[in-house]
Amino acid sequence: MTHEKFFETFRQRAEDGLRLWESPSVAVGVVKDGKVVLCEGYGLRDTAGKLPATGETLYQIGSCSKAFTAALVSILVDQGKLDWDTPIIRYVPNIRFYDDFTTKSVTLRDLLSHRTGMPRHEYAWYGTDFTKEQLVENLRFLEPNQPIRTVFQYNNQCYILAGYIVERVTGKTYEQCLQEYLFDPLGMGRSCAFLDDIEEDADHATPYDRTDTSDALHGMRPIPFYRTPVEDRAKGIGAAMGPAGSIDSCAADMLKWVQFHLNHGAWEGKQLISEDSMQQMHRPNMILNTPLDMPMLETDFWSYGMGWFIESFRGHKLIQHGGNINGFSGFTSFMPDLNLGVVAYTNMNGSYLHYALGREIIDHYLGIEDGNWVQRYHDFVAGRSANAAKQILAMTGEQVPGTSPSHPMADYTGTFCREGYTPAVVTAENGALYLDFINVKVKMRHFHYDTFVLDDILGELPAGVPVHFHTAEVGGRIDALAMPLVPEPGGKLIRFEKQRSDEGC
């Protein structure tokens, strides 16, 4: 099929995909042999205003931001201010990890390749009011579940720390570094990192989620941008989790970004990042046993470099990264041997349509026409949703019928604290218990014995997740609660200690 004919059919495929996935819009860009061959938007960036998406429409790119953080580190490595394999304690002597060996040994390469031994501890940052400084200080309280450099475990906190190190070494904010070292030199004039910037832009996408968050495929409703109180553009204070996922961009700008990588760090005749540092980011540092993406026979040898996933796709090296943040999902990719870059961004929470369209384009340039990616990803998500009940059962165990709580309802209320996390507050209202955690209040219902379950979602935790109340060995009072906040193998329940009325966290 000719390129012209493919893109004619592709546009219809994108529109059909939006209907199948019940999603508002998707923006897609393709650069081949240094030339932009596609940069378009499909659907509506805002359904209420009937506003069409374009290749210039701003989307939040989520964890596609991580490659920018790795690039900033690369620039400082080239300048001799940082080193990939020097323990970071040399640069930030105040930072501590949970164990002394990791504190003394962990390097920037470890942080950027997700191999510190620490699992996500996602709810130690998501939905909290912690500053960036507090988040990196709190690393000392977050237990590892694996030895350092043994297992790949995707981790946002370590990218936050890498961005913090960039700030400490340069004396500039992360956002200033993005602008000065990357956005301005690459001509990424639409890209930004403050929420005020994207919200005030005349051509930005509205974030959407499902009407019923237990259904990953149907219904859509607008939702707020993810914002924490610490962000303040007027004071130059960016999002605390910025280095892990705060960038806003468009397909047109992101094509410049992938072309920059295809150019081995050169742009308009100037070498912004050395070829060696670019290769360091694009080489495998950690092997994955299974992909984070949909399992597929077309891929093999999954690995992570620094800021990028690296895989063999149909026998070709594919360097890519996905991204997801409230109401947005993204896919940024390039294939060096084809001199091809493909990007796709959508304003639907947890959507996989962008992945599907991206792989459709890659298949075309490989001369393959029967990938059926839009339907395959749709079926994958449908099957995963069907397994949600099994995942909840693994957390709760089989329900024991006919049991009752061991204490009166009032005994379960109070403030429960755990270092490194925000407090979990339990209240009793109208004959029911409520959990207030990460700035979200959710009703609980009794499951069995002293275990209750969430009656609705909490952040990204689905309804049905258990909250286990513990009793003191002496006296028998309710003295703690524990929740499965770390899903990785070997991750322990996170225990919060109940505070007496005259105590604070």
Side-chain angles (χ1 to χ4, degrees):
M1 184 185 296
T2 65
H3 298 324
E4 183 180 39
K5 181 62 176 177
F6 169 75
F7 284 115
E8 286 178 5
T9 62
F10 176 81
R11 292 180 179 97
Q12 186 59 54
R13 195 171 303 169
E15 296 287 357
D16 292 344
L18 288 171
R19 284 189 287 272
L20 177 65
W21 283 83
E22 296 187 22
S23 296
S25 76
V26 62
V28 182
V30 181
V31 60
K32 179 73 170 76
D33 298 328
K35 296 181 179 180
V36 174
V37 297
L38 180 77
C39 186
E40 297 179 352
Y42 310 100
L44 301 174
R45 60 181 175 86
D46 183 275
T47 59
K50 305 296 183 183
L51 302 174
T54 72
E56 298 281 338
T57 298
L58 287 181
Y59 294 79
Q60 292 200 297
I61 67 171
S63 286
C64 296
S65 305
K66 288 182 170 65
F68 288 82
T69 300
L72 290 177
V73 172
S74 296
I75 291 170
L76 296 177
V77 169
D78 288 343
Q79 294 175 357
K81 297 177 181 178
L82 292 174
D83 180 78
W84 298 117
D85 301 305
T86 294
I88 65 166
I89 197 169
R90 172 180 170 181
Y91 311 116
V92 282
N94 58 309
I95 299 302
R96 296 290 182 272
F97 276 72
Y98 192 79
D99 62 279
D100 288 340
F101 181 79
T102 301
T103 297
K104 295 175 182 178
S105 306
V106 69
T107 66
L108 279 160
R109 190 184 301 275
D110 297 324
L111 299 181
L112 296 174
S113 57
H114 302 292
R115 64 181 199 185
T116 63
M118 190 176 76
R120 287 199 184 199
H121 283 285
E122 209 76 315
Y123 297 97
W125 71 266
Y126 183 85
T128 73
D129 299 339
F130 291 132
T131 65
K132 188 179 300 170
E133 290 74 16
Q134 288 172 317
L135 288 176
V136 297
E137 285 288 329
N138 286 344
L139 287 169
R140 66 191 67 199
F141 305 122
L142 306 181
E143 298 94 332
N145 64 327
Q146 302 289 344
I148 188 175
R149 303 188 187 114
T150 59
V151 177
F152 172 88
Q153 293 189 124
Y154 195 82
N155 187 288
N156 284 299
Q157 273 99 336
C158 289
Y159 266 80
I160 295 170
L161 175 54
Y164 175 77
I165 292 171
V166 168
E167 293 183 331
R168 289 290 297 270
V169 170
T170 62
K172 304 171 184 177
T173 67
Y174 177 76
E175 293 74 24
Q176 287 173 325
C177 290
L178 281 176
Q179 198 70 45
E180 179 178 341
Y181 299 141
L182 294 172
F183 291 166
D184 287 345
L186 295 176
M188 297 177 67
R190 299 275 299 137
S191 300
C192 53
F194 287 102
L195 280 178
D196 287 344
D197 290 336
I198 185 173
E199 288 187 305
E200 292 172 6
D201 192 279
D203 186 5
H204 77 266
T206 298
Y208 286 83
D209 201 351
R210 295 303 178 192
T211 307
D212 178 356
T213 51
S214 65
D215 184 346
L217 294 169
H218 302 100
M220 56 181 170
R221 61 184 174 89
I223 62 172
F225 283 87
Y226 178 77
R227 181 188 289 271
T228 62
V230 300
E231 181 173 341
D232 188 335
R233 185 182 60 181
K235 296 180 180 179
I237 301 172
M241 39 64 69
S246 69
I247 292 175
D248 316 308
S249 193
C250 62
D253 272 11
M254 292 302 287
L255 287 178
K256 297 176 182 178
W257 174 240
V258 294
Q259 185 61 57
F260 171 63
H261 283 268
L262 289 167
N263 290 347
H264 311 292
W267 189 257
E268 296 182 345
K270 185 177 181 180
Q271 197 73 37
L272 302 181
I273 298 177
S274 69
E275 290 195 37
D276 179 69
S277 286
M278 295 298 284
Q279 290 172 1
Q280 294 288 338
M281 288 187 284
H282 300 162
R283 288 173 178 165
N285 277 310
M286 283 300 291
I287 303 299
L288 282 66
N289 292 326
T290 57
L292 298 190
D293 196 358
M294 175 181 73
M296 59 187 80
L297 294 176
E298 293 84 355
T299 66
D300 198 4
F301 193 71
W302 314 286
S303 64
Y304 200 88
M306 288 185 281
W308 295 99
F309 287 95
I310 305 153
E311 67 185 50
S312 174
F313 180 70
R314 300 193 190 274
H316 297 260
K317 183 179 182 180
L318 173 63
I319 302 175
Q320 56 88 10
H321 212 291
N324 184 253
I325 190 101
N326 299 33
F328 293 95
S329 300
F331 178 62
T332 307
S333 71
F334 58 99
M335 299 186 81
D337 65 337
L338 295 183
N339 199 11
L340 172 70
V342 180
V343 301
Y345 307 97
T346 183
N347 54 333
M348 171 54 75
N349 201 48
S351 171
Y352 279 64
L353 176 60
H354 54 301
Y355 285 124
L357 295 177
R359 291 193 186 270
E360 291 277 3
I361 294 169
I362 293 169
D363 266 2
H364 165 69
Y365 283 99
L366 292 173
I368 297 168
E369 299 179 11
D370 59 352
N372 196 27
W373 292 106
V374 173
Q375 188 64 53
R376 284 174 62 184
Y377 270 101
H378 187 272
D379 294 344
F380 164 67
V381 173
R384 190 177 62 175
S385 298
N387 290 327
K390 293 181 181 179
Q391 297 171 355
I392 294 295
L393 179 61
M395 298 181 192
T396 61
E398 293 286 351
Q399 186 175 19
V400 180
T403 67
S404 301
S406 64
H407 286 63
M409 183 176 292
D411 289 2
Y412 296 89
T413 64
T415 299
F416 296 76
C417 301
R418 199 270 192 197
E419 289 182 309
Y421 283 73
T422 57
V425 179
V426 178
T427 57
E429 301 174 26
N430 300 318
L433 291 178
Y434 287 80
L435 175 69
D436 193 335
F437 180 58
I438 60 168
N439 289 311
V440 179
K441 190 173 183 179
V442 177
K443 183 179 180 180
M444 295 187 288
R445 55 185 171 82
H446 183 249
F447 186 72
H448 61 207
Y449 300 115
D450 286 327
T451 294
F452 292 73
V453 295
L454 303 179
D455 215 23
D456 201 348
I457 63 166
L458 178 66
E460 295 184 351
L461 293 174
V465 166
V467 179
H468 308 285
F469 288 89
H470 296 169
T471 57
E473 294 181 4
V474 177
R477 74 182 185 94
I478 300 295
D479 71 341
L481 65 79
M483 293 183 282
L485 301 181
V486 178
E488 291 91 345
K492 298 179 180 179
L493 292 173
I494 301 300
R495 179 183 170 98
F496 295 74
E497 304 290 338
K498 188 175 183 181
Q499 305 301 293
R500 296 186 181 277
S501 59
D502 59 344
E503 296 175 328
C505 290

